Amino acid sequence: MKTAVNTATRPTLTLAIADFKEITKARLAISVVFSSIAGYLLGAQQVDVVSLLLLAFGGYCMVGASNAYNQVIERDLDALMKRTANRPIPSGRMSVRTAMAIAVVLTLLGVVTLYQLNPKTAMFGAISIFLYTSVYTPLKTKTPLAVFVGAFPGAIPFMLGWVAATNEFGIEPGTLFMIQFFWQFPHFWALGWMLDDDYKRGGFKMLPTGKKDKGTALQIIMYTIWMLVISIVPAFGITGLLELSVPAAVIIFLMGMVMLVFAFRLYEKRDNLTAKKLMLASVSYITLMQIVYVIDKFI
C-alpha cells in the first residue's frame, strides 16, 4: 500500500516541480543569475561565498517572480500561441491563484534576500520586477517600443552583481548595464523574427518596424555595433575600476564581429534560419563575454 502511494506521489511531485520551473522560466532565470554572479566577481575585492549564494538565490527569486507575474497577466494570450499554450496556467495545470501566490512569495523572498547584501541591490531588484511586469508586459501588445522598455530590467542583472559586491553605483556598473542593454535588441529581435507568426497570434508587437524586413534587420545591425563598442570601452581605461586588457578586448571584439556577421546575413537573407543563428550567436556572445571579463580580472 505504501509503495503504491509513493509511486502515485512521485509523478505528481515531478509534474509540480516541472510546472514550477516553467512558471519561473528556470533556464532564463539561471542565465540571469549567471550574469549577476559575473558582475559580482568583477566588483568584489574579496569573494564571499555566502554573498554569492544570497545573490544567486535572491536573483532567481526576483526573475522567477517577474516571469510568474508575466504568465498570470498574459494567460489568455499565451493560450493563443503554440509555444506558450502548454504553460501551466493556459493548460489548466496551475490556477491563477497558485501562480500569484508563487509570484508574491518569490518577490518577498527575493527582496529580503538581496537586502541582506545591501539596500541598493534590493532596490534595483524590485525596480526590475516593477518595470518587467507593470510597464514592459502591458506594452507588448501596444507598441514595438516594449522591447526598449524591457531592455532596462533585462540589463540590470550584470550591473546588479557589481552593486551587490560594492554597495556602490557608478560608471563601472553603469558600463555593465549598457553592455547588456544594447545586447538585448539584436537578441530579442532575432527571437521575435523567428517567432513573428506566433507572436502575432497573441497580438504582440515585437519587431521595430512590425515586419521581417530590411528596416528591422538594419536596426539589429546598428544595435549590435553599439553593443560591440561598449563591450570593449573598459580597455581604454575610462571606466574606473572596471578594466579590460588589450588581449581580452581583442577576443571580445572578434566574438562580437561573429555576431555582427550573422546580423548582416539576416539583412541579406531575411529568413528564420538566419535569425535563429543570430539568436544563438547572441546567447553565446553574452555568456562568453562575461566569462572573458571575469577571467581577465583574475589573471
Side-chain angles (χ1 to χ4, degrees):
M1 183 70 173
K2 187 180 287 187
T3 303
V5 171
N6 288 342
T7 303
T9 303
R10 225 174 274 131
T12 304
L13 179 60
T14 302
L15 184 60
I17 293 172
D19 282 344
F20 178 81
K21 289 166 65 177
E22 181 72 18
I23 202 76
T24 60
K25 293 188 182 177
R27 290 175 63 182
L28 173 62
I30 290 170
S31 70
V32 170
V33 169
F34 179 87
S35 291
S36 297
I37 290 174
Y40 176 90
L41 293 174
L42 290 174
Q45 295 298 315
Q46 195 169 17
V47 176
D48 179 63
V49 175
V50 174
S51 295
L52 271 178
L53 292 174
L54 288 172
L55 179 62
F57 179 75
Y60 188 98
C61 287
M62 300 300 263
V63 180
S66 296
N67 290 324
Y69 286 127
N70 174 266
Q71 290 183 51
V72 168
I73 296 168
E74 294 182 348
R75 59 190 183 276
D76 294 332
L77 301 179
D78 281 347
L80 302 175
M81 297 183 291
K82 292 178 181 178
R83 72 183 187 88
T84 55
N86 197 44
R87 282 178 174 174
I89 301 176
S91 68
R93 297 193 308 273
M94 182 182 292
S95 68
V96 172
R97 181 176 295 182
T98 299
M100 274 299 293
I102 291 172
V104 171
V105 169
L106 288 177
T107 301
L108 295 174
L109 283 174
V111 171
V112 170
T113 302
L114 294 180
Y115 191 84
Q116 302 307 306
L117 293 166
N118 57 64
K120 287 188 180 74
T121 305
M123 178 190 72
F124 281 121
I127 289 172
S128 177
I129 289 182
F130 173 78
L131 288 175
Y132 190 85
T133 59
S134 300
V135 186
Y136 166 67
T137 296
L139 281 178
K140 286 165 68 178
T141 57
K142 309 291 185 187
T143 171
L145 285 174
V147 174
F148 176 80
V149 175
F152 283 88
I156 285 177
F158 201 16
M159 172 200 81
L160 191 73
W162 184 288
V163 176
T166 65
N167 194 25
E168 296 290 339
F169 181 82
I171 191 169
E172 300 91 348
T175 302
L176 299 180
F177 176 89
M178 292 303 291
I179 293 171
Q180 201 149 3
F181 178 80
F182 283 110
W183 170 83
Q184 303 277 324
F185 295 94
H187 173 73
F188 281 108
W189 284 336
L191 184 65
W193 190 298
M194 290 165 49
L195 301 173
D196 187 53
D197 292 338
D198 212 21
Y199 275 131
K200 284 178 178 175
R201 292 188 189 97
F204 294 121
K205 304 177 186 296
M206 304 303 289
L207 297 178
T209 66
K211 301 174 183 177
K212 298 193 287 187
D213 59 8
K214 284 191 173 183
T216 289
L218 183 60
Q219 290 197 48
I220 289 174
I221 290 171
M222 300 279 292
Y223 278 96
T224 302
I225 292 172
W226 275 111
M227 174 206 74
L228 180 54
V229 170
I230 300 297
S231 294
I232 61 173
V233 160
F236 295 92
I238 58 174
T239 52
L241 297 175
L242 179 64
E243 299 174 339
L244 192 66
S245 69
V246 172
V250 170
I251 293 171
I252 289 172
F253 178 79
L254 291 175
M255 292 192 303
M257 287 301 296
V258 171
M259 191 170 156
L260 188 58
V261 167
F262 281 113
F264 273 107
R265 285 183 181 172
L266 182 61
Y267 181 83
E268 293 173 0
K269 297 185 177 182
R270 299 190 298 283
D271 61 3
N272 287 352
L273 179 60
T274 309
K276 183 177 181 180
K277 290 178 180 178
L278 173 59
M279 189 273 294
L280 293 174
S282 71
V283 172
S284 299
Y285 175 82
I286 197 69
T287 304
L288 293 173
M289 179 273 298
Q290 290 168 348
I291 290 173
V292 170
Y293 260 85
V294 172
I295 291 175
D296 187 58
K297 175 187 174 179
F298 287 100
I299 64 171

